[in-house]
């Protein structure tokens, strides 16, 4: 995917590489989907002098979510789909630290990418801190963080921060036209609103075909849903067995629809704010709890319908 808004980050990175004492730890901060992981890999390749077309480099180590357990590990070994762990574990950090006791393989520099660093277990974060405090010569860390506040303050304090800005609606629309020319203008508009400046998130919304979901949500917010018909249609548009990614995208879309309603309404905002807060709670719980898709659709629809009723009462 074409990456937008990385110019300043690249300027800082190249300037640091050209200097005499490059900082050993970098925090890549920004919304999920703005291309931080892609930047980290490209920056690491530039750092270690990877050749063009070289897919894997022995001096670039990536720590990310591994298999959830031994059963899922066996699936990965067999080349089958497997379920990921919810965090980056201390064993992964220990394995990386063992590698750091040896010299880099192909040169005098090594890059460690942790993606996302805000998903480090507490023990893993504490173990990583020791490496950041006493980094081996020639070792550089790139920590990808969607929510830097979740990192230990002592980790943040040892990193130089590269910030990745969100992207304007116009740039996002142009990008979606290139990446998904089949998407309608309405679908692109819904994706841009829900993604809040994240090109990756906008692309995911389009690929998940959430245009119908967005349209139904707007209808509920505009006219309510007294006979529950729209809530039934919403459940059908979401699907009977959506995966977690789709459910997360639906919740993001509902929050964006409420935020758009709040911006454009002259009504009492309290009901909209309350509905938005409840959606934030559901969004936080969704990765942990196995929500029934139909019940979740009804809950979302009810929150939107209640917000619509409150707006009507305040306007009337």
């Amino acid at each position: 995917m074409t990456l937008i808004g990385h110019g300043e980050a690249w300027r800082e990175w190249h300037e640091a590489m050209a200097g005499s004492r490059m900082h050993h730890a970098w925090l890549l901060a920004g919304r999920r989907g703005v291309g931080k992981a892609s930047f980290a890999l490209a920056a690491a390749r530039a750092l270690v002098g990877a050749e063009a077309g070289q897919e894997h480099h022995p001096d670039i180590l990536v720590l990310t979510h591994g298999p959830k357990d031994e059963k899922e590990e066996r699936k990965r070994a067999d080349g089958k789909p497997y379920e990921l762990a919810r965090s980056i574990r201390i064993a992964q950090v220990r394995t990386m630290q063992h590698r750091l006791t040896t010299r880099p393989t192909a040169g005098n520099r090594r890059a460690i990418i942790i993606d996302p660093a805000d998903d480090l277990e507490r023990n893993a974060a504490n173990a990583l801190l020791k490496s950041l405090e006493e980094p081996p010569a020639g070792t550089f860390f790139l920590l990808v963080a969607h929510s830097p506040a979740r990192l230990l303050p002592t980790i943040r304090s040892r990193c130089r921060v590269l910030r990745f800005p969100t992207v304007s609606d116009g740039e996002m629309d142009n990008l979606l036209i290139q990446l998904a020319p089949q998407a309608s203008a309405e679908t692109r508009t819904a994706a841009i609103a829900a993604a809040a400046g994240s090109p990756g998130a906008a692309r995911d919304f389009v690929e998940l075909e959430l245009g119908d979901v967005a349209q139904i949500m707007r209808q509920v917010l505009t006219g309510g849903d007294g006979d529950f018909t729209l809530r039934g249609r919403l459940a059908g548009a979401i699907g009977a067995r959506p995966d977690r990614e789709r459910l997360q995208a639906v919740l993001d879309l509902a929050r964006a629809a409420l935020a758009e309603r709040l911006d454009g309404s002259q009504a009492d905002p309290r009901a909209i704010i309350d509905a938005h807060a409840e959606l934030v709670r559901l969004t936080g719980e969704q990765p942990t709890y196995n929500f029934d898709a139909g019940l979740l659709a009804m809950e979302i629809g009810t929150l939107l319908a209640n917000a619509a009723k409150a707006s009507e009462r305040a306007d009337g």
Side-chain angles (χ1 to χ4, degrees), residues 97-288:
Q97 289 173 326
H98 181 72
R99 288 283 299 274
L100 298 186
T101 61
T102 65
R103 292 180 56 82
T105 301
N108 58 6
R109 287 178 169 179
R110 175 186 283 135
I112 312 296
I113 299 172
I114 302 179
D115 175 28
D118 27 8
D119 280 354
L120 283 162
E121 288 181 341
R122 171 67 66 164
N123 289 340
N126 285 326
L128 173 66
L129 180 60
K130 296 178 180 178
S131 294
L132 296 179
E133 290 173 337
E134 300 178 6
T139 297
F140 298 87
F141 294 86
L142 295 95
L143 279 60
V144 175
H146 313 311
S147 302
R150 292 173 55 192
L151 291 172
L152 294 175
T154 44
I155 287 180
R156 297 199 305 268
S157 68
R158 283 164 174 77
C159 296
R160 176 171 170 178
V161 179
L162 283 181
R163 301 196 182 277
F164 290 76
T166 54
V167 176
S168 71
D169 289 357
E171 289 177 309
M172 294 257 281
D173 194 45
N174 290 333
L175 182 61
L176 289 177
I177 289 172
Q178 297 174 32
L179 296 176
Q182 78 285 355
S184 67
E186 183 177 55
T187 297
R188 296 198 309 272
T189 298
I192 291 168
S198 166
R203 178 200 56 193
D204 291 344
F205 280 118
V206 170
E207 291 178 351
L208 290 168
E209 298 180 347
L210 292 173
D212 288 345
V213 174
Q215 184 179 23
I216 296 168
M217 287 180 178
R218 283 198 295 272
Q219 289 175 340
V220 175
L221 273 172
T222 300
D225 185 30
D227 60 2
F228 285 75
T229 298
L230 291 175
R231 270 167 273 199
R233 286 178 53 197
L234 181 62
I238 292 172
R241 298 181 63 84
D243 58 21
R244 288 181 176 177
E245 181 184 12
R246 185 171 180 82
L247 285 180
Q248 196 75 21
V250 167
L251 286 162
D252 289 344
L253 192 58
R255 297 204 323 271
L258 278 172
E260 182 180 346
R261 177 78 170 177
L262 184 62
D263 290 341
S265 175
Q266 301 300 316
D268 185 342
R270 286 175 292 183
I272 300 175
I273 292 172
D274 289 345
H276 190 277
E278 185 64 13
L279 284 170
V280 169
R281 182 188 66 79
L282 290 172
T283 302
E285 292 179 352
Q286 186 271 326
T288 303

Side-chain angles (χ1 to χ4, degrees), residues 39-104:
F39 177 93
L41 185 57
R45 291 174 61 81
L47 182 74
V48 303
E51 297 179 4
Q54 184 178 4
E55 185 174 355
H56 301 289
H57 194 283
D59 294 325
I60 299 176
L61 308 180
V62 180
L63 274 67
T64 189
H65 300 99
K68 183 178 71 171
D69 51 32
E70 292 183 1
K71 178 182 176 182
E72 300 304 313
E73 178 63 56
R74 289 194 294 271
K75 290 181 182 178
R76 179 170 71 169
D78 293 338
K80 299 177 181 178
Y82 58 92
E83 188 175 347
L84 294 176
R86 300 191 187 282
S87 60
I88 299 173
R89 297 168 172 169
I90 188 171
Q92 295 172 266
V93 175
R94 295 296 190 206
T95 300
M96 175 271 292
Q97 289 173 326
H98 181 72
R99 288 283 299 274
L100 298 186
T101 61
T102 65
R103 292 180 56 82

